[in-house]
Amino acid sequence: MIKEALQYITDLKEAAMNPKVLEINGRTYCDRRLNPYDKEPMAQPIGASTLTALVDYIKNCSGELRSGMICHVESPVKVSLYSGLTQERKRENLFECNAIVPKFRFDSWYDQESFLIEMRADFVSAGDLETILKIAGNVQSGSTKNCVDDGVSQQTTIKSGVASRADIIPPNPACLTPYRTFLEIPQPDGLFVFRIGEQKGEPCFKIVKAEGGLWRNQAMQYIKSYIEQQLEEIDMADSITIIA
């Protein structure tokens, strides 16, 4: 009896492990997750941080491309190269670009020295940058107590000479051009609010976005135009659709 019981249990296990295939309304179903042996393998995407690398790949590795390629500008800092649909209605991601941009902390207070360094490193020298740097570099400890703030603009007293002082109204909103997309394209400028404050008796500063994110659309169009111009010379340019 024990031998028969063990054999019965073994048969139940084998029956449970065997997949069951059902045909319902012309479609085939299985109670096990099976991977078909003839499934088309997909390549892992190549990663890069520049648009130049993407263009070089398309120009020099055309043999790896499928028909109906799509270059998708997903954001100002990410571009992906996808194939057309396979027989399984999937797309192969062959190349992926992720821009390396400075991490300036908008809407956060910086002390005077850190603010001056970050503004020089993370912004293009254009627009109102020099004016803001001049103001931030000359504000003295205690002068922010005399800062007049009407909620829109500020007026503060800065040192303009050895002993003389001058009242300065910073530009608000200020036109600035931070590095926030791929370096191969023009950096879109935007409007920002420049604020002056005080922490522990020392002046501090911050930059607040005041543009509603419109720069993103502009940057993505710049990326699209750049890729289109770089691919004009190759034969298969018409087979690559660029969307942004």
Side-chain angles (χ1 to χ4, degrees):
M1 293 294 293
I2 296 177
K3 181 179 179 181
E4 294 177 354
L6 292 174
Q7 184 62 42
Y8 177 73
I9 294 174
T10 302
D11 293 340
L12 288 178
K13 180 180 178 181
E14 291 179 354
M17 293 179 64
N18 292 329
K20 296 180 180 179
V21 180
L22 301 176
E23 192 81 18
I24 302 176
N25 291 334
R27 303 188 66 178
T28 303
Y29 297 86
C30 180
D31 64 346
R32 296 288 185 273
R33 178 175 293 181
L34 302 176
N35 294 323
Y37 69 91
D38 60 343
K39 182 178 180 180
E40 187 175 7
M42 296 290 185
Q44 292 294 322
I46 298 175
S49 60
T50 64
L51 297 176
T52 303
L54 171 63
V55 172
D56 289 342
Y57 173 77
I58 294 175
K59 289 182 177 180
N60 299 308
C61 300
S62 59
E64 298 182 3
L65 305 182
R66 299 172 183 263
S67 60
M69 298 296 297
I70 297 177
C71 187
H72 184 195
V73 183
E74 300 183 38
S75 73
V77 295
K78 184 176 181 180
V79 181
S80 299
L81 181 65
Y82 294 99
S83 70
L85 291 174
T86 66
Q87 293 183 352
E88 298 177 344
R89 306 298 292 177
K90 294 183 178 180
R91 299 187 187 277
E92 185 177 25
N93 187 0
L94 296 178
F95 205 96
E96 188 173 286
C97 290
N98 291 281
I100 301 175
V101 296
K103 300 297 183 181
F104 185 84
R105 292 181 283 110
F106 291 98
D107 203 15
S108 296
W109 290 104
Y110 283 90
D111 62 74
Q112 190 172 36
E113 182 178 6
S114 298
F115 182 79
L116 294 174
I117 293 174
E118 292 293 333
M119 292 296 290
R120 281 294 187 192
D122 301 343
F123 288 76
V124 179
S125 182
D128 296 318
L129 178 65
E130 295 300 328
T131 302
I132 289 179
L133 290 175
K134 182 178 180 180
I135 295 172
N138 287 279
V139 172
Q140 292 182 323
S141 300
S143 63
T144 53
K145 295 180 181 179
N146 301 321
C147 182
V148 179
D149 189 347
D150 60 6
V152 178
S153 61
Q154 289 179 301
Q155 176 176 315
T156 189
T157 302
I158 69 171
K159 183 178 180 180
S160 59
V162 175
S164 61
R165 297 178 181 275
D167 290 334
I168 298 294
I169 300 178
N172 269 319
C175 181
L176 298 172
T177 310
Y179 291 106
R180 45 187 176 177
T181 186
F182 294 94
L183 297 181
E184 291 95 335
I185 65 171
Q187 301 297 309
D189 55 21
L191 298 179
F192 301 85
V193 175
F194 173 54
R195 307 301 288 171
I196 304 173
E198 184 176 0
Q199 292 181 349
K200 299 180 181 180
E202 297 294 330
C204 58
F205 313 90
K206 71 176 177 179
I207 299 293
V208 183
K209 297 179 182 179
E211 58 187 349
L214 295 177
W215 70 274
R216 296 179 180 275
N217 293 336
Q218 187 177 14
M220 292 169 68
Q221 289 301 317
Y222 284 160
I223 295 172
K224 179 181 178 181
S225 298
Y226 173 84
I227 297 175
E228 288 176 341
Q229 293 174 1
Q230 295 297 315
L231 299 182
E232 285 180 351
E233 302 175 356
I234 66 174
D235 296 333
M236 62 178 304
D238 294 338
S239 64
I240 301 177
T241 302
I242 305 173
I243 58 176

